[in-house]
Amino acid sequence: MNKLRILMAALALSATMPTLAQRMPDIGFESVGRGKPLAADVRETPVVGPNWMRGFIPGQAPQAPTPGQPAQQQVNGFRPGELPAGIEPLPIDIFTTKDFYADRALWTDQRYFRCTSGYSTEEQWGALIGNPLILSQDPADGVWGHCDNDYPREAIISPYGFATAQEHYEALMEETRKRGGPNKYTFKDFPAAEWNGIYERPLFSVDHQNWYWMRHNQIPTILSLLTPKYQERTVQEYYHQVNTNAAIWPSTYCWPEGFMRRWHMAAVWEHNIMATPDMVQILAGVVRNFITNVYIGRDFIMDDVASGGVPRLGEAVPQWYGE
């Protein structure tokens, strides 16, 4: 059996359920903290865009089609002046503003971002594939996405009522105890050795889309999940992507980019998993530099959490991708 499908069933919990909700496997019981379908299935949500549609050749400018053949590239979006009926542009937006800080009241209006997704801001000037959507040197020529497409906020937030990860963990542990666990294994009776292996995710596969690729989300929807400080940082990044063409990634300076980077399609194509009775190690990343160790049966040290620290297993040494 394809190990990818096993991994995605175990980790992403994506299998078969009714439409309009995430499809889930049948785990045999209703859990207090896992297996609940989200409000929408991202695989049934069109990308927001704008982007070049499939069929382009990375690194090459759009070309006229060969006689009798389809066009090499087609814009999945709308250029200024060619907007769908009913879409009225704002007098100023992130493509034309001189001070995005002063426009904070407009950040909740998807037209301020020309109905683009976070991912597509990088495509406006060709930062991802070298084929810019903007065909001039003027950011005012920025391309619009689809204003009717969006993965809803209620499908992103947790479907459970836990206020903290600690509450969630404790509820799952109590459930496990009621079901006779947690089990303790040795190498002689360890049942998970067959999990060891390389789990590959087909790039751009329809069945393996995720909302956190930022291709299916309107920017105001994502901003609604963030604190004011991180809203500002996010809009600042998008401003420089689309307005000043000064895209800067943390990797430009060899800075780690955070735990969620491990799930980005450009960062991780496969997961190398090694399971033992005491630890599960996940090695990932295009350059194999994402390492996560899951220690079985260990308890986090919570001594300094109240004062702003983080749960840890050993000394209070910052680790980019956690423990």
Side-chain angles (χ1 to χ4, degrees):
M1 182 180 290
N2 189 319
K3 287 185 176 181
L4 167 65
R5 298 193 180 279
I6 300 174
L7 177 68
M8 298 307 291
L11 299 182
L13 297 176
S14 56
T16 314
M17 277 291 281
T19 58
L20 302 180
Q22 183 187 26
R23 287 171 284 174
M24 309 296 292
D26 182 5
I27 62 175
F29 69 101
E30 185 175 349
S31 173
V32 298
R34 65 186 178 99
K36 188 172 183 178
L38 301 178
D41 191 334
V42 71
R43 293 168 295 185
E44 298 174 2
T45 305
V47 297
V48 170
N51 58 282
W52 290 115
M53 297 180 71
R54 300 293 177 84
F56 63 82
I57 301 176
Q60 293 188 14
Q63 301 176 5
T66 302
Q69 299 296 319
Q72 178 193 355
Q73 297 189 82
Q74 182 177 349
V75 173
N76 178 26
F78 309 93
R79 297 197 179 278
E82 302 175 355
L83 301 182
I87 302 300
E88 186 68 30
L90 297 174
I92 192 170
D93 60 30
I94 197 170
F95 289 81
T96 58
T97 186
K98 300 300 181 184
D99 185 358
F100 70 88
Y101 296 102
D103 302 335
R104 182 180 287 272
L106 299 176
W107 294 357
T108 56
D109 191 325
Q110 59 192 31
R111 294 175 299 167
Y112 182 74
F113 303 97
R114 300 196 178 182
C115 299
T116 63
S117 66
Y119 181 89
S120 67
T121 62
E122 301 181 26
E123 298 192 90
Q124 293 283 351
W125 295 98
L128 288 172
I129 59 174
N131 286 346
L133 290 166
I134 299 175
L135 301 180
S136 71
Q137 299 302 312
D138 187 353
D141 292 331
V143 182
W144 285 65
H146 296 270
C147 298
D148 293 336
N149 296 351
D150 193 16
Y151 189 65
R153 184 181 191 276
E154 58 268 24
I156 297 176
I157 61 177
S158 172
Y160 302 104
F162 304 111
T164 66
Q166 182 68 22
E167 289 182 16
H168 196 166
Y169 168 77
E170 290 172 355
L172 285 171
M173 282 301 296
E174 180 60 24
E175 176 179 89
T176 299
R177 295 186 188 100
K178 289 180 178 179
R179 294 177 57 82
N183 297 326
K184 296 182 179 181
Y185 298 101
T186 66
F187 277 99
K188 292 182 179 180
D189 60 359
F190 186 53
E194 62 186 42
W195 295 351
N196 294 332
I198 300 174
Y199 296 80
E200 182 178 7
R201 171 183 55 75
L203 193 62
F204 295 112
S205 168
V206 173
D207 279 338
H208 301 288
Q209 302 290 308
N210 302 292
W211 69 261
Y212 37 82
W213 286 0
M214 299 299 158
R215 300 180 74 234
H216 302 78
N217 324 84
Q218 295 285 341
I219 290 175
T221 300
I222 297 302
L223 295 180
S224 73
L225 304 168
L226 307 177
T227 63
K229 179 175 71 173
Y230 282 95
Q231 289 176 349
E232 188 171 284
R233 290 183 178 181
T234 301
V235 175
Q236 179 187 47
E237 178 180 353
Y238 293 153
Y239 169 80
H240 288 296
Q241 295 278 21
V242 305
N243 191 302
T244 68
N245 192 17
I248 296 178
W249 296 336
S251 57
T252 304
Y253 303 98
C254 298
W255 293 339
E257 298 174 82
F259 182 80
M260 292 303 289
R261 174 70 172 174
R262 67 149 55 247
W263 302 111
H264 193 274
M265 55 189 173
V268 172
W269 298 340
E270 64 277 320
H271 287 74
N272 297 262
I273 295 182
M274 179 179 66
T276 76
D278 302 313
M279 185 181 75
V280 176
Q281 183 178 85
I282 304 173
L283 179 66
V286 175
V287 292
R288 307 295 186 272
N289 62 342
F290 294 3
I291 301 176
T292 300
N293 292 329
V294 182
Y295 295 93
I296 309 301
R298 295 281 297 277
D299 291 323
F300 281 110
I301 300 170
M302 309 290 287
D303 297 348
D304 56 354
V305 171
S307 59
V310 297
R312 64 184 194 280
L313 292 175
E315 297 299 320
V317 178
Q319 299 190 43
W320 293 113
Y321 298 110
E323 295 182 286

